[in-house]
Amino acid sequence: MEGSVSIHIPQKLLESAQRLSSPDETLNDVVILALDREVRRRKGLAAHQKILALNKELPPQPDDTEVINQIRESEGREDL
């Protein structure tokens, strides 16, 4: 669903956007692309913060690096 809004863009930012956009790109295209990127960025940030909060609730997990190295160096590996 498309809608219509009025926004106020600082003059210097507007001039920069117009100068840097391609000739076949409208200002509307630039704004939509920027808004889409910002929404995706904020969703990603929210997911990251949720993961960090969950990690604080979980008990510490053991470091399996040594076990993985032992498996890689095991005799069963020679058959591969």
Side-chain angles (χ1 to χ4, degrees):
M1 181 171 91
E2 290 189 25
S4 177
V5 297
S6 294
I7 58 173
H8 299 279
I9 303 172
Q11 187 64 34
K12 287 183 178 182
L13 181 58
L14 180 61
E15 290 169 357
S16 293
Q18 289 171 331
R19 188 173 57 254
L20 296 172
S21 63
S22 65
D24 59 331
E25 203 173 29
T26 66
L27 181 59
N28 189 66
D29 296 334
V30 172
V31 170
I32 289 171
L33 180 61
L35 187 57
D36 182 58
R37 285 181 179 163
E38 182 63 15
V39 167
R40 283 187 280 124
R41 186 191 73 81
R42 289 183 184 208
K43 283 181 180 179
L45 181 60
H48 179 70
Q49 290 172 340
K50 187 174 182 179
I51 290 169
L52 292 177
L54 287 172
N55 280 340
K56 287 182 181 179
E57 295 175 13
L58 296 174
Q61 301 296 311
D63 182 8
D64 293 329
T65 306
E66 186 60 36
V67 174
I68 292 170
N69 288 334
Q70 288 173 1
I71 292 171
R72 288 180 177 165
E73 295 170 359
S74 70
E75 292 177 6
R77 180 109 169 127
E78 293 173 4
D79 296 335
L80 296 178

